[in-house]
Amino acid sequence: MSEQTRDLTVRERPRRVVIVGAGMAGVQTAVALREQGFTGPVTLIGAEPHQPYDRPPLSKAVLLGNAEGSAFDVDFEALDITLRLGLGVTGLRAGAHELDTPDGPVPYDVLVLATGAEPVALPGSEGVPGVHLLRTLDDAERLRPVLERQHDIVVVGAGWIGAEFTTAARAAGCAVTVVEAAGRPLAGTLPAEVAAPMATWYAGSGAELLTGARVARVEPGAVHLTDGRVLPAGAVVVGIGARPATGWLAGSGIALGPDGSVTADGSLRTSLPDVYAVGDCASFPSARYGERLLVHHWDNALQGPRTVAAAVADGRPRAYDPVPYFWSEQFGRFVQYAGHHRGTDTLLWRGDPAEASWTVCWLREGVLVAVLAVGRPRDLAQGRRLVEAGARIDPERAADPSVPLKSATL
């Protein structure tokens, strides 16, 4: 074959898209490619052997045995999407446009990184019997019998996952003690005046919350705190954060941030040609908020793939600058958040945080930029639209919970 013929063959061959990561971001990228009319080969690689599944039910229905799984309702065969499950990817060689795997190299023309995040382990707890993380279906399956046997459980970390697991464990009848190094729950996520009322939710559920408490060491059956207290623990569940699962990209030429995230551009393209990044593993610059965002939430893994798929389908990059959104079900409450409140100058309460439902609004120079709603879904829905529109708010009217947020604009 002549060089000219070979070049022509390469140009005429449908581009091969390979997606690494079979969670929400990876699956949605594959589906969105077909929805956008892309007809080339699409391969979805997942490290776990299970059919691709959604993660939010793991800390709820799956954990409590109310569901056998959370597999996505996607007919991959009908969409002509090739699944390669139980296959870890160990490296990326950009010059060759190939991925390294134990089964040999996998070539690509367009690569999408959707490897998500991995939980942070509690130092010194690795390999200790009875210590659990909660990130995968296998994690949930290992924890289900722990709840069924109603063990005394120590949860390390009072973040979102710690609260959701504590909720499920109390529903199963377990005694739960939550150990949090900071002085309040969600210390790394919400300001003190907003997070403080949430501390009472633990006691209301029958769980004990220990703040300002640090773990010295974990041994089978016990957690030792630095102040000398010893907590009995039939099981320990660690929820102290997550970091982008990008270690395998070392030396690949992909630019990573200090937090380990792939530093994508405003269209979710990486520093290498023909490589995109979506979901929990990628950060992106937000013109809306004037900073780079790393969003570890379900909605980001749903929205980003649509941007990438559209660009791959027609070759025209799209700007990606969403209003971050997430929700959490904990202690009988539905908590929703939209926006990004860092750098705001005004915090408004709508309702009494001692009550069952209330809302917090954050303003910057009179513009609504973030909303947290507890049991007030209408506030969240209206507030989210106002944040997207960059609407200016009348603080006095917005602080009146009887006034619809959409009616508090200037």
Side-chain angles (χ1 to χ4, degrees):
M1 181 185 295
S2 69
E3 199 66 36
Q4 182 178 7
T5 303
R6 182 181 295 109
D7 290 344
L8 182 61
T9 301
V10 170
R11 287 198 301 272
E12 291 180 343
R13 184 194 68 212
R15 289 177 300 158
R16 300 162 297 186
V17 177
V18 175
I19 304 164
V20 183
M24 169 61 82
V27 168
Q28 288 299 320
T29 300
V31 172
L33 282 166
R34 296 304 189 218
E35 291 176 343
Q36 294 287 340
F38 181 79
T39 58
V42 175
T43 299
L44 183 63
I45 299 177
E48 295 182 57
H50 311 289
Q51 280 291 114
Y53 61 88
D54 203 4
R55 294 189 187 278
L58 297 184
S59 60
K60 307 172 185 72
V62 175
L63 192 61
L64 290 172
N66 297 329
E68 290 306 311
S70 54
F72 291 111
D73 185 17
V74 175
D75 190 335
F76 295 100
E77 184 176 358
L79 292 173
D80 193 22
I81 296 168
T82 300
L83 292 181
R84 299 192 64 179
L85 303 176
L87 181 64
V89 178
T90 57
L92 164 60
R93 288 177 288 112
H97 268 55
E98 287 185 342
L99 296 167
D100 292 324
T101 79
D103 289 353
V106 176
Y108 68 86
D109 295 308
V110 177
L111 176 64
V112 182
L113 306 176
T115 47
E118 54 195 6
V120 175
L122 181 67
S125 69
E126 296 89 338
V128 177
V131 176
H132 301 263
L133 299 169
L134 180 53
R135 183 71 181 179
T136 69
L137 183 59
D138 289 339
D139 292 337
E141 293 293 351
R142 281 189 289 267
L143 275 166
R144 187 191 296 180
V146 172
L147 268 59
E148 290 173 348
R149 291 193 292 267
Q150 298 186 336
H151 281 295
D152 289 347
I153 297 176
V154 173
V155 176
V156 182
W160 299 114
I161 192 65
E164 291 183 0
F165 176 81
T166 299
T167 300
R170 289 297 301 138
C174 299
V176 183
T177 302
V178 182
V179 177
E180 170 56 51
R184 61 184 186 277
L186 297 166
T189 306
L190 295 174
E193 61 266 46
V194 177
M198 297 177 174
T200 64
W201 298 356
Y202 288 80
S205 76
E208 183 178 9
L209 172 64
L210 305 179
T211 57
R214 295 183 176 275
V215 176
R217 72 181 188 278
V218 178
E219 59 187 33
V223 173
H224 295 256
L225 304 183
T226 55
D227 61 9
R229 284 179 289 180
V230 180
L231 308 177
V236 178
V237 176
V238 178
I240 57 175
R243 56 176 168 239
T246 56
W248 66 281
L249 291 169
S252 67
I254 293 281
L256 302 178
D259 54 12
S261 66
V262 177
T263 53
D265 69 7
S267 299
L268 299 180
R269 296 172 296 191
T270 74
S271 58
L272 291 181
D274 306 317
V275 183
Y276 295 82
V278 292
D280 291 4
C281 72
S283 62
F284 57 91
S286 171
R288 183 190 305 273
Y289 292 106
E291 61 182 285
R292 179 169 286 275
L293 301 182
L294 175 62
V295 181
H296 281 182
H297 294 297
W298 187 91
D299 191 64
N300 180 50
L302 177 66
Q303 302 296 337
R306 297 169 181 169
T307 298
V308 169
V312 172
D314 65 14
R316 297 200 309 265
R318 271 75 165 176
Y320 185 65
D321 196 5
V323 171
Y325 166 75
F326 71 88
W327 79 94
S328 175
E329 296 176 74
Q330 52 183 269
F331 308 115
R333 295 167 172 85
F334 188 44
V335 183
Q336 296 171 282
Y337 177 96
H340 182 66
H341 64 267
R342 185 179 300 168
T344 54
D345 52 46
T346 303
L347 186 152
L348 297 177
W349 288 91
R350 288 171 57 81
D352 184 347
E355 300 296 329
S357 62
W358 45 273
T359 297
V360 172
C361 299
W362 286 271
L363 311 183
R364 182 185 297 120
E365 298 178 353
V367 175
L368 183 66
V369 296
V371 179
L372 172 76
V374 177
R376 292 179 66 98
R378 183 173 298 178
D379 275 5
L380 191 286
Q382 294 181 9
R384 186 179 185 181
R385 288 193 289 269
L386 295 175
V387 171
E388 290 171 345
R392 299 186 66 82
I393 297 294
D394 178 340
E396 185 174 343
R397 287 179 60 77
D400 184 346
S402 68
V403 176
L405 264 181
K406 66 180 180 181
S407 300
T409 57
L410 292 173

